[in-house]
Amino acid sequence: MTLQDVATEAQVSLATASRALNGGSRGVRSENLVRVRAAAARLGYVPNASAQATARGSTQTVALVVSDVADPYYSAVAAGITDAAEAHGLVVTMTVADRSPRRELELVRGLRGHRPQIIVIAGSRIDDSETEQELIDELSQYRATGGRVVLISQPGLPFPTVTVDNAHGAEALARTMAQAGYRQYTIICGPDRIKTSLDRRRGFTAGLRASGIETDDHVLIRTQFTRSGGYDAARELVERGLGDTELIFAVSDTMAIGVMTALRDAGLEPGRDVAVAGFDDISSAIDVAPALTTVAVPLREAGIEAVRLALSDEKAHPVRLPTTVRIRESTPRALASGRSPTGSST
């Protein structure tokens, strides 16, 4: 059954039938609209999805671009996006940029051809001035044709953004650890071009300085922003000697879990021989032994908020999500100091 059959049955033009059924009924007289829809129901006509996309300028999909499919951080974000999308009759598709600005740009260019209703880009912005302007241009052209764009990232691009308070979360964690009596630290982070890593590293050192702890003598190890990066950095630290290090702060939970594995492989016990803390509060943070002290990020809520923001007509002001310090067994002094196991809001 074709749209032409419906138009003939309803005794209207093909253009009128198309507008009545493909979401562009504005300008169609009410009596014609009733006849077309009744004819479609009698004939069992099912609109063609591609034709509807052409008529509306989009399909009923949310295209999600994430930095790393193996990181549980993005699984939690995707769960929130999926829940919110389904509530609005939308379907989520996901692609992976592998933390490459060039790959991210290529994915957005390809997605435009599939006409999603919404594009959500989730992941840290990475310093890359060459591709950033190209990405802005690509997303602006997509938005000019009716598409919606939302970022779950740092503010900076001219699109609605859901952002996590990384710096203040890390600063609150540092203050909490200092109050618990930790004085000597090793910080394991990713490259500074990854803005999430940079914000968390700077926030943590700011919290130490505010607590009267000088940071010049602390060990800083830069590595890949992954679990294996955390593992390699901890192995390097053990091989050179822990020295006076009392606590290792890794700027993400996945890195911190890699750190804990490396410590065990070296015959050390996390939480006993050296304390460990992370950031994100991914689901596995409470499954490792000892449970990981971290900074909780409302990841599922970030996904829900991104879809809400995309479907609203709000201006492009960043929506900042709060973080919460969660104290667990991997930092036993903090537990012994009487800090609440659920931590403190930043």
Side-chain angles (χ1 to χ4, degrees), residues 52-73:
Q52 283 192 326
T54 300
R56 289 193 305 263
S58 67
T59 57
Q60 297 297 98
T61 59
V62 178
L64 171 61
V65 181
V66 300
S67 294
D68 182 358
V69 72
D71 192 331
Y73 179 104

PDB file of all heavy atoms in Angstrom, residues 52-73:
ATOM      1  N   GLN A  52       9.252   9.895   6.130  1.00  0.00           N
ATOM      2  CA  GLN A  52       8.936  10.770   7.254  1.00  0.00           C
ATOM      3  C   GLN A  52      10.145  11.599   7.664  1.00  0.00           C
ATOM      4  O   GLN A  52      10.022  12.765   8.011  1.00  0.00           O
ATOM      5  CB  GLN A  52       8.469   9.934   8.452  1.00  0.00           C
ATOM      6  CG  GLN A  52       7.039   9.436   8.302  1.00  0.00           C
ATOM      7  CD  GLN A  52       6.536   8.880   9.606  1.00  0.00           C
ATOM      8  OE1 GLN A  52       7.290   8.304  10.383  1.00  0.00           O
ATOM      9  NE2 GLN A  52       5.251   9.035   9.853  1.00  0.00           N
ATOM     10  N   ALA A  53      11.308  10.975   7.613  1.00  0.00           N
ATOM     11  CA  ALA A  53      12.524  11.714   7.961  1.00  0.00           C
ATOM     12  C   ALA A  53      12.738  12.877   7.009  1.00  0.00           C
ATOM     13  O   ALA A  53      13.143  13.969   7.408  1.00  0.00           O
ATOM     14  CB  ALA A  53      13.727  10.774   7.929  1.00  0.00           C
ATOM     15  N   THR A  54      12.461  12.644   5.727  1.00  0.00           N
ATOM     16  CA  THR A  54      12.611  13.715   4.743  1.00  0.00           C
ATOM     17  C   THR A  54      11.605  14.825   5.005  1.00  0.00           C
ATOM     18  O   THR A  54      11.929  16.012   4.943  1.00  0.00           O
ATOM     19  CB  THR A  54      12.424  13.158   3.324  1.00  0.00           C
ATOM     20  OG1 THR A  54      13.416  12.156   3.105  1.00  0.00           O
ATOM     21  CG2 THR A  54      12.578  14.255   2.291  1.00  0.00           C
ATOM     22  N   ALA A  55      10.381  14.432   5.347  1.00  0.00           N
ATOM     23  CA  ALA A  55       9.344  15.433   5.581  1.00  0.00           C
ATOM     24  C   ALA A  55       9.612  16.249   6.833  1.00  0.00           C
ATOM     25  O   ALA A  55       9.441  17.460   6.852  1.00  0.00           O
ATOM     26  CB  ALA A  55       7.978  14.742   5.688  1.00  0.00           C
ATOM     27  N   ARG A  56      10.052  15.568   7.903  1.00  0.00           N
ATOM     28  CA  ARG A  56      10.267  16.265   9.165  1.00  0.00           C
ATOM     29  C   ARG A  56      11.668  16.824   9.307  1.00  0.00           C
ATOM     30  O   ARG A  56      11.930  17.642  10.156  1.00  0.00           O
ATOM     31  CB  ARG A  56      10.021  15.299  10.335  1.00  0.00           C
ATOM     32  CG  ARG A  56       8.587  14.912  10.556  1.00  0.00           C
ATOM     33  CD  ARG A  56       8.460  14.243  11.917  1.00  0.00           C
ATOM     34  NE  ARG A  56       9.378  13.110  12.035  1.00  0.00           N
ATOM     35  CZ  ARG A  56       9.020  11.857  11.822  1.00  0.00           C
ATOM     36  NH1 ARG A  56       7.793  11.573  11.463  1.00  0.00           N
ATOM     37  NH2 ARG A  56       9.898  10.889  11.961  1.00  0.00           N
ATOM     38  N   GLY A  57      12.572  16.319   8.482  1.00  0.00           N
ATOM     39  CA  GLY A  57      13.974  16.697   8.616  1.00  0.00           C
ATOM     40  C   GLY A  57      14.707  15.844   9.626  1.00  0.00           C
ATOM     41  O   GLY A  57      15.873  16.086   9.916  1.00  0.00           O
ATOM     42  N   SER A  58      14.043  14.814  10.216  1.00  0.00           N
ATOM     43  CA  SER A  58      14.719  13.975  11.202  1.00  0.00           C
ATOM     44  C   SER A  58      13.980  12.662  11.368  1.00  0.00           C
ATOM     45  O   SER A  58      12.809  12.530  11.017  1.00  0.00           O
ATOM     46  CB  SER A  58      14.774  14.687  12.557  1.00  0.00           C
ATOM     47  OG  SER A  58      13.470  14.816  13.097  1.00  0.00           O
ATOM     48  N   THR A  59      14.701  11.667  11.899  1.00  0.00           N
ATOM     49  CA  THR A  59      14.095  10.413  12.321  1.00  0.00           C
ATOM     50  C   THR A  59      13.840  10.494  13.823  1.00  0.00           C
ATOM     51  O   THR A  59      14.310  11.403  14.496  1.00  0.00           O
ATOM     52  CB  THR A  59      15.025   9.232  12.017  1.00  0.00           C
ATOM     53  OG1 THR A  59      16.289   9.467  12.669  1.00  0.00           O
ATOM     54  CG2 THR A  59      15.263   9.089  10.523  1.00  0.00           C
ATOM     55  N   GLN A  60      13.141   9.509  14.350  1.00  0.00           N
ATOM     56  CA  GLN A  60      12.830   9.497  15.777  1.00  0.00           C
ATOM     57  C   GLN A  60      13.977   8.849  16.559  1.00  0.00           C
ATOM     58  O   GLN A  60      13.777   7.896  17.310  1.00  0.00           O
ATOM     59  CB  GLN A  60      11.523   8.747  16.022  1.00  0.00           C
ATOM     60  CG  GLN A  60      10.305   9.396  15.360  1.00  0.00           C
ATOM     61  CD  GLN A  60      10.040  10.783  15.921  1.00  0.00           C
ATOM     62  OE1 GLN A  60      10.426  11.794  15.336  1.00  0.00           O
ATOM     63  NE2 GLN A  60       9.379  10.830  17.062  1.00  0.00           N
ATOM     64  N   THR A  61      15.176   9.352  16.368  1.00  0.00           N
ATOM     65  CA  THR A  61      16.337   8.764  17.014  1.00  0.00           C
ATOM     66  C   THR A  61      17.158   9.818  17.751  1.00  0.00           C
ATOM     67  O   THR A  61      17.147  10.996  17.404  1.00  0.00           O
ATOM     68  CB  THR A  61      17.258   8.054  16.000  1.00  0.00           C
ATOM     69  OG1 THR A  61      17.696   9.007  15.026  1.00  0.00           O
ATOM     70  CG2 THR A  61      16.536   6.921  15.307  1.00  0.00           C
ATOM     71  N   VAL A  62      17.867   9.343  18.760  1.00  0.00           N
ATOM     72  CA  VAL A  62      18.878  10.128  19.456  1.00  0.00           C
ATOM     73  C   VAL A  62      20.219   9.483  19.147  1.00  0.00           C
ATOM     74  O   VAL A  62      20.433   8.304  19.448  1.00  0.00           O
ATOM     75  CB  VAL A  62      18.652  10.132  20.977  1.00  0.00           C
ATOM     76  CG1 VAL A  62      19.764  10.913  21.675  1.00  0.00           C
ATOM     77  CG2 VAL A  62      17.291  10.703  21.324  1.00  0.00           C
ATOM     78  N   ALA A  63      21.108  10.215  18.518  1.00  0.00           N
ATOM     79  CA  ALA A  63      22.435   9.702  18.184  1.00  0.00           C
ATOM     80  C   ALA A  63      23.397  10.108  19.295  1.00  0.00           C
ATOM     81  O   ALA A  63      23.633  11.289  19.530  1.00  0.00           O
ATOM     82  CB  ALA A  63      22.898  10.248  16.843  1.00  0.00           C
ATOM     83  N   LEU A  64      23.946   9.116  19.985  1.00  0.00           N
ATOM     84  CA  LEU A  64      24.858   9.359  21.095  1.00  0.00           C
ATOM     85  C   LEU A  64      26.287   9.058  20.656  1.00  0.00           C
ATOM     86  O   LEU A  64      26.573   7.958  20.174  1.00  0.00           O
ATOM     87  CB  LEU A  64      24.472   8.476  22.290  1.00  0.00           C
ATOM     88  CG  LEU A  64      25.432   8.433  23.477  1.00  0.00           C
ATOM     89  CD1 LEU A  64      25.597   9.812  24.099  1.00  0.00           C
ATOM     90  CD2 LEU A  64      24.951   7.419  24.513  1.00  0.00           C
ATOM     91  N   VAL A  65      27.176  10.015  20.834  1.00  0.00           N
ATOM     92  CA  VAL A  65      28.597   9.836  20.534  1.00  0.00           C
ATOM     93  C   VAL A  65      29.348   9.833  21.857  1.00  0.00           C
ATOM     94  O   VAL A  65      29.303  10.822  22.605  1.00  0.00           O
ATOM     95  CB  VAL A  65      29.132  10.967  19.627  1.00  0.00           C
ATOM     96  CG1 VAL A  65      30.613  10.748  19.315  1.00  0.00           C
ATOM     97  CG2 VAL A  65      28.321  11.054  18.344  1.00  0.00           C
ATOM     98  N   VAL A  66      30.014   8.721  22.183  1.00  0.00           N
ATOM     99  CA  VAL A  66      30.755   8.620  23.439  1.00  0.00           C
ATOM    100  C   VAL A  66      32.246   8.481  23.150  1.00  0.00           C
ATOM    101  O   VAL A  66      32.652   8.109  22.047  1.00  0.00           O
ATOM    102  CB  VAL A  66      30.275   7.426  24.292  1.00  0.00           C
ATOM    103  CG1 VAL A  66      28.806   7.575  24.635  1.00  0.00           C
ATOM    104  CG2 VAL A  66      30.538   6.103  23.590  1.00  0.00           C
ATOM    105  N   SER A  67      33.050   8.757  24.169  1.00  0.00           N
ATOM    106  CA  SER A  67      34.499   8.715  23.989  1.00  0.00           C
ATOM    107  C   SER A  67      35.056   7.302  24.064  1.00  0.00           C
ATOM    108  O   SER A  67      36.015   6.968  23.365  1.00  0.00           O
ATOM    109  CB  SER A  67      35.183   9.583  25.049  1.00  0.00           C
ATOM    110  OG  SER A  67      34.863  10.938  24.872  1.00  0.00           O
ATOM    111  N   ASP A  68      34.465   6.440  24.926  1.00  0.00           N
ATOM    112  CA  ASP A  68      35.062   5.129  25.190  1.00  0.00           C
ATOM    113  C   ASP A  68      33.968   4.159  25.586  1.00  0.00           C
ATOM    114  O   ASP A  68      33.368   4.299  26.651  1.00  0.00           O
ATOM    115  CB  ASP A  68      36.110   5.266  26.297  1.00  0.00           C
ATOM    116  CG  ASP A  68      36.830   3.962  26.601  1.00  0.00           C
ATOM    117  OD1 ASP A  68      36.506   2.940  25.989  1.00  0.00           O
ATOM    118  OD2 ASP A  68      37.725   3.977  27.465  1.00  0.00           O
ATOM    119  N   VAL A  69      33.712   3.165  24.761  1.00  0.00           N
ATOM    120  CA  VAL A  69      32.621   2.228  25.031  1.00  0.00           C
ATOM    121  C   VAL A  69      32.955   1.288  26.179  1.00  0.00           C
ATOM    122  O   VAL A  69      32.055   0.737  26.828  1.00  0.00           O
ATOM    123  CB  VAL A  69      32.287   1.421  23.756  1.00  0.00           C
ATOM    124  CG1 VAL A  69      33.378   0.416  23.433  1.00  0.00           C
ATOM    125  CG2 VAL A  69      30.929   0.748  23.877  1.00  0.00           C
ATOM    126  N   ALA A  70      34.243   1.100  26.505  1.00  0.00           N
ATOM    127  CA  ALA A  70      34.628   0.174  27.565  1.00  0.00           C
ATOM    128  C   ALA A  70      34.548   0.801  28.953  1.00  0.00           C
ATOM    129  O   ALA A  70      34.622   0.097  29.957  1.00  0.00           O
ATOM    130  CB  ALA A  70      36.051  -0.340  27.320  1.00  0.00           C
ATOM    131  N   ASP A  71      34.395   2.111  29.025  1.00  0.00           N
ATOM    132  CA  ASP A  71      34.380   2.811  30.310  1.00  0.00           C
ATOM    133  C   ASP A  71      32.968   2.784  30.889  1.00  0.00           C
ATOM    134  O   ASP A  71      32.026   3.277  30.262  1.00  0.00           O
ATOM    135  CB  ASP A  71      34.841   4.261  30.102  1.00  0.00           C
ATOM    136  CG  ASP A  71      35.126   4.977  31.413  1.00  0.00           C
ATOM    137  OD1 ASP A  71      34.499   4.629  32.431  1.00  0.00           O
ATOM    138  OD2 ASP A  71      35.974   5.888  31.406  1.00  0.00           O
ATOM    139  N   PRO A  72      32.774   2.222  32.104  1.00  0.00           N
ATOM    140  CA  PRO A  72      31.436   2.183  32.710  1.00  0.00           C
ATOM    141  C   PRO A  72      30.805   3.556  32.889  1.00  0.00           C
ATOM    142  O   PRO A  72      29.587   3.662  33.026  1.00  0.00           O
ATOM    143  CB  PRO A  72      31.689   1.517  34.070  1.00  0.00           C
ATOM    144  CG  PRO A  72      32.951   0.733  33.883  1.00  0.00           C
ATOM    145  CD  PRO A  72      33.786   1.535  32.929  1.00  0.00           C
ATOM    146  N   TYR A  73      31.605   4.600  32.920  1.00  0.00           N
ATOM    147  CA  TYR A  73      31.093   5.970  32.991  1.00  0.00           C
ATOM    148  C   TYR A  73      30.048   6.197  31.893  1.00  0.00           C
ATOM    149  O   TYR A  73      28.963   6.723  32.143  1.00  0.00           O
ATOM    150  CB  TYR A  73      32.272   6.932  32.825  1.00  0.00           C
ATOM    151  CG  TYR A  73      31.952   8.409  32.834  1.00  0.00           C
ATOM    152  CD1 TYR A  73      32.219   9.190  33.955  1.00  0.00           C
ATOM    153  CD2 TYR A  73      31.441   9.050  31.715  1.00  0.00           C
ATOM    154  CE1 TYR A  73      31.957  10.555  33.967  1.00  0.00           C
ATOM    155  CE2 TYR A  73      31.173  10.413  31.716  1.00  0.00           C
ATOM    156  CZ  TYR A  73      31.430  11.154  32.839  1.00  0.00           C
ATOM    157  OH  TYR A  73      31.178  12.503  32.834  1.00  0.00           O
TER     158      TYR A  73
END
